[in-house]
Amino acid sequence: MVDWRMQRVNNGGVSLAVFEVAGSATSADDRHRPTVLLVHGWPDTHHLWTHVAPALAADNHVVAYDCRGFGQSDRPDGDAAYRLEALADDLFAVADAVSPDRPVHVIGHDWGSVQAWEAVTRPGAEDRIASFVSVSGPNLDQLGTWARQKLRRPTPRNLGHAAAQVGSSAYTVFFQLPVLPRMFFGVAGSAAVWREFLHRVEGTPRDRVIVGDTLRQDMVSGLRLYRANIRAKLIDPRTRSTLVPTLELVNERDIALRPAIFDDTYQYAQRLWRRSTPTGHWLPYTNPDHLVRSASDFIATQAARSTPDIAARMDRTRVFGAPHALSGKLAVITGAGSGIGRETAFALAEQGCELVVADIDLTRADETARQSKALGAQATAYEVDVADVEAVTEFATRVRDRHGTPDLVVNNAGIGLAGGALAATDDQVDRLLDVNLRGVISGSRAFGRQMVERGIGGHIVNVASAAAFTPQRSLGLYAASKAGVLLFSESLRAELGEHRIGVSAICPGIVDTNIVGATPIAGLQADDEDAERRRLDGLYRRRGFTPDRVARAIVDAIVHNKAVVPVTPEAAIGYRIYRFAPWLSRIAARRKVTG
């Protein structure tokens, strides 16, 4: 538990209970450390920050307060006392009391973020607020403008976004009714019920939800926030911009707020950073470590205390325009020196990702990184042989230590082997399976463990092949390696689903890459093997399906969390034949393709 030290701050006759973490950089020698002001929402109190405040207090002077109407603060009568203007006045009053000489760094959650938006958009706010971390709480004026714009341009996409948010916000209509919500929370507003609700909605461990003795009162009193502000702001939005550096933590699984409502924030914040993760609404309870890491990095950067690694992490989340679906995410790609891997790097660079590109040929990986930087992405190249399990493990550790845990991993590195299974050498078989199958397993395991430990989800893409479900007499060994990738990916998806980690198997058919030119053909003499490779390479080139199209399918699979993606037309057809008429696949498999 946190050792809170309480004081009182008065604002316009309203007494606010303000809590300072005891020993959190409060000595005279430590006053140079930033003051971090934590602002809660409904129906919480300062107890919301129980798992966040101690970690922040290691490097900061940490203060929280019970907003008016909650906890140990006064509960003025009437709805007018709970308008955002009054709440912003409270925030400034607390800031002046706890840090009179220096601006504070604000972290707001839910209605705490909503009222902080009101504060940071006031003229001159940047003189008193050094930075703002917004969690699950929009600027209501911006939200009203966003809704109006969607309805003025009633495209299917706009209407879909608006309808999704209306559905998520339906509870606010009930909250504004005069009698029923008071009666409801008067009966159901117990700590046990609240803990069970958060556990069922977000999977929050019940013992992590810390509430005060005033929870039932807070639920009822806090309803005034909804009645005093929502209708007025949505009917007559008056958007204003802010000069305060702002980090927006977007929770993709937020029960109340759809991610799309934050897409226009960049228009109102001159300096905006954004981090989007598959997390839920009550981040301070459910994923406090993620909130602490994100806020600490941001505050350190704004307070000029960041290291080069922190600065690099923050750079990738900086927003200069409308965000992409994968903006700010860290992506690792193996086999990135050419073909599908290189094009995937370019596609993710265009999405605003930071890239870690790996290949057995460092020169080619460097070239991919250089071209990705030309697209505006941060990119770092590494040399890795994915067939070496120890090397993959060391690579994953280096990535975590230097860049952080990746959000996306694309296990793309692969080699080919054609010809008869009986004609192949043991060395050829071992190398094929070590790269194509064991390499994918090693990468998935090493980075998957990191994602699970971090606790905020992620996505793993394993590049298989249409050969995984189209048996061929001339590609039996290659097909076996890729079938292993496919079934491993499906199984891993089931295993990691509870951790919000998606797994996709990408299954291209005939794609014009350089893999054919390097593919051994077992059972042929050297001259015949060269001639056969040239013939197959020409066939692939004439097919004309380029790797950039596979890269687009990979991005789509990540965004929409697809399980199995047959990419080319022949792959899609082969997948369905193998599922619904496998005897046709067996007949086709007898045809000799090579040799």
Side-chain angles (χ1 to χ4, degrees):
M1 299 296 289
V2 187
D3 184 8
W4 297 107
R5 182 168 51 210
M6 192 183 88
Q7 61 177 295
R8 287 279 174 181
V9 172
N10 187 282
N11 178 48
V14 176
S15 178
L16 302 170
V18 178
F19 300 86
E20 185 177 60
V21 178
S24 67
T26 57
S27 70
D29 293 337
D30 287 336
R31 280 300 182 181
H32 66 280
R33 296 189 180 188
T35 293
V36 178
L37 183 59
L38 307 174
V39 192
H40 69 82
W42 182 94
D44 305 299
T45 62
H46 70 283
H47 292 297
L48 172 74
W49 307 106
T50 298
H51 310 294
V52 173
L56 289 174
D59 297 306
N60 304 282
H61 171 216
V62 178
V63 179
Y65 68 98
D66 290 344
C67 297
R68 61 172 64 195
F70 295 88
Q72 299 180 51
S73 291
D74 285 354
R75 304 170 189 270
D77 294 330
D79 294 344
Y82 294 84
R83 288 179 182 148
L84 289 178
E85 295 81 1
L87 299 174
D89 289 342
D90 289 346
L91 190 155
F92 283 115
V94 174
D96 289 340
V98 300
S99 182
D101 301 323
R102 304 182 63 193
V104 300
H105 299 264
V106 175
I107 303 176
H109 174 261
D110 189 74
W111 275 97
S113 176
V114 173
Q115 61 188 279
W117 271 113
E118 181 72 20
V120 299
T121 54
R122 284 189 179 177
E126 65 276 9
D127 296 330
R128 292 300 299 125
I129 300 176
S131 72
F132 170 38
V133 179
S134 170
V135 186
S136 292
N139 180 304
L140 289 188
D141 291 298
Q142 294 173 22
L143 178 59
T145 300
W146 176 87
R148 286 167 170 261
Q149 290 173 345
K150 297 300 178 187
L151 296 176
R152 286 196 195 104
R153 298 192 295 272
T155 65
R157 175 184 174 84
N158 286 346
L159 290 177
H161 285 159
Q165 183 53 52
V166 168
S168 295
S169 300
Y171 71 96
T172 64
V173 177
F174 172 70
F175 279 14
Q176 294 180 69
L177 297 177
V179 177
L180 289 179
R182 288 195 184 95
M183 295 175 58
F184 175 79
F185 289 116
V187 174
S190 69
V193 171
W194 185 241
R195 291 189 179 101
E196 189 63 26
F197 171 77
L198 293 187
H199 176 71
R200 292 183 178 274
V201 168
E202 298 198 3
T204 309
R206 296 177 182 87
D207 60 356
R208 198 177 287 174
V209 180
I210 309 299
V211 298
D213 297 334
T214 58
L215 178 64
R216 198 184 305 269
Q217 294 172 272
D218 299 335
M219 286 181 165
V220 174
S221 178
L223 294 173
R224 297 187 177 104
L225 294 172
Y226 295 87
R227 293 197 298 270
N229 297 292
I230 288 183
R231 280 175 292 179
K233 291 292 186 180
L234 295 184
I235 292 173
D236 184 24
R238 299 179 181 181
T239 53
R240 296 162 294 170
S241 297
T242 181
L243 296 176
V244 175
T246 301
L247 170 64
E248 200 167 48
L249 296 182
V250 178
N251 299 307
E252 297 166 352
R253 294 178 48 247
D254 197 312
I255 188 176
L257 303 165
R258 308 306 300 167
I261 70 173
F262 301 104
D263 286 350
D264 293 340
T265 306
Y266 72 96
Q267 298 179 18
Y268 308 103
Q270 291 197 13
R271 289 181 289 173
L272 177 67
W273 288 255
R274 174 183 167 119
R275 185 78 203 263
S276 180
T277 53
T279 42
H281 185 84
W282 270 273
L283 199 65
Y285 284 145
T286 308
N287 300 97
D289 291 343
H290 167 56
L291 175 53
V292 169
R293 284 194 302 267
S294 300
S296 296
D297 285 356
F298 184 62
I299 291 168
T301 302
Q302 301 307 316
R305 295 188 297 117
S306 66
T307 64
D309 288 347
I310 291 175
R313 285 199 296 271
M314 293 312 305
D315 281 348
R316 76 168 178 259
T317 62
R318 184 75 185 268
V319 176
F320 295 98
H324 297 287
L326 304 178
S327 291
K329 296 190 182 296
L330 175 63
V332 174
I333 308 159
T334 66
S338 62
I340 293 172
R342 175 172 285 184
E343 293 297 335
T344 300
F346 296 161
L348 292 174
E350 292 172 346
Q351 285 284 321
C353 295
E354 178 186 352
L355 305 178
V356 171
V357 293
D359 199 275
I360 196 171
D361 185 333
L362 182 58
T363 301
R364 294 193 301 185
D366 275 330
E367 178 60 20
T368 299
R370 186 186 66 79
Q371 295 186 43
S372 298
K373 290 175 183 177
L375 296 171
Q378 295 184 61
T380 308
Y382 291 87
E383 180 179 351
V384 180
D385 180 358
V386 299
D388 185 338
V389 177
E390 185 176 348
V392 172
T393 302
E394 291 176 354
F395 168 61
T397 301
R398 288 179 66 194
V399 170
R400 182 193 60 201
D401 293 344
R402 183 174 177 184
H403 305 274
T405 297
D407 304 290
L408 315 172
V409 173
V410 182
N411 292 303
N412 165 74
I415 60 175
L417 177 61
L422 305 184
T425 67
D426 289 341
D427 287 343
Q428 287 176 324
V429 175
D430 289 344
R431 181 64 180 169
L432 177 76
L433 295 178
D434 284 345
V435 174
N436 286 11
L437 182 55
R438 189 55 194 265
V440 168
I441 292 174
S442 298
S444 297
R445 278 160 49 88
F447 288 112
R449 289 187 184 111
Q450 293 181 13
M451 291 178 179
V452 169
E453 182 181 0
R454 182 179 61 173
I456 59 170
H459 202 99
I460 297 172
V461 174
N462 295 326
V463 178
S465 168
F469 44 75
T470 51
Q472 299 172 55
R473 59 179 291 175
S474 303
L475 288 175
L477 293 169
Y478 178 77
S481 70
K482 292 301 186 179
V485 170
L486 175 59
L487 194 55
F488 169 71
S489 300
E490 294 246 54
S491 302
L492 188 65
R493 181 181 177 88
E495 179 180 345
L496 298 182
E498 64 189 75
H499 300 288
R500 305 293 174 183
I501 300 171
V503 181
S504 299
I506 307 299
C507 301
I510 298 174
V511 180
D512 182 14
T513 69
N514 62 359
I515 191 172
V516 175
T519 295
I521 302 176
L524 295 182
Q525 297 298 319
D527 290 345
D528 293 335
E529 186 180 23
D530 287 342
E532 184 66 7
R533 272 199 295 260
R534 287 193 298 272
R535 182 185 73 83
L536 291 174
D537 192 47
L539 184 150
Y540 275 54
R541 290 183 184 279
R542 287 193 298 275
R543 171 69 175 80
F545 199 98
T546 52
D548 61 297
R549 298 169 70 178
V550 182
R552 290 198 294 271
I554 289 173
V555 171
D556 184 67
I558 294 170
V559 171
H560 297 101
N561 193 19
K562 295 181 178 179
V564 179
V565 183
V567 180
T568 58
E570 65 273 11
I573 294 170
Y575 186 55
R576 283 157 180 79
I577 289 176
Y578 190 71
R579 291 178 65 192
F580 301 113
W583 56 274
L584 285 176
S585 296
R586 299 186 188 110
I587 293 174
R590 299 171 186 171
R591 181 171 178 267
K592 183 182 270 192
V593 177
T594 64

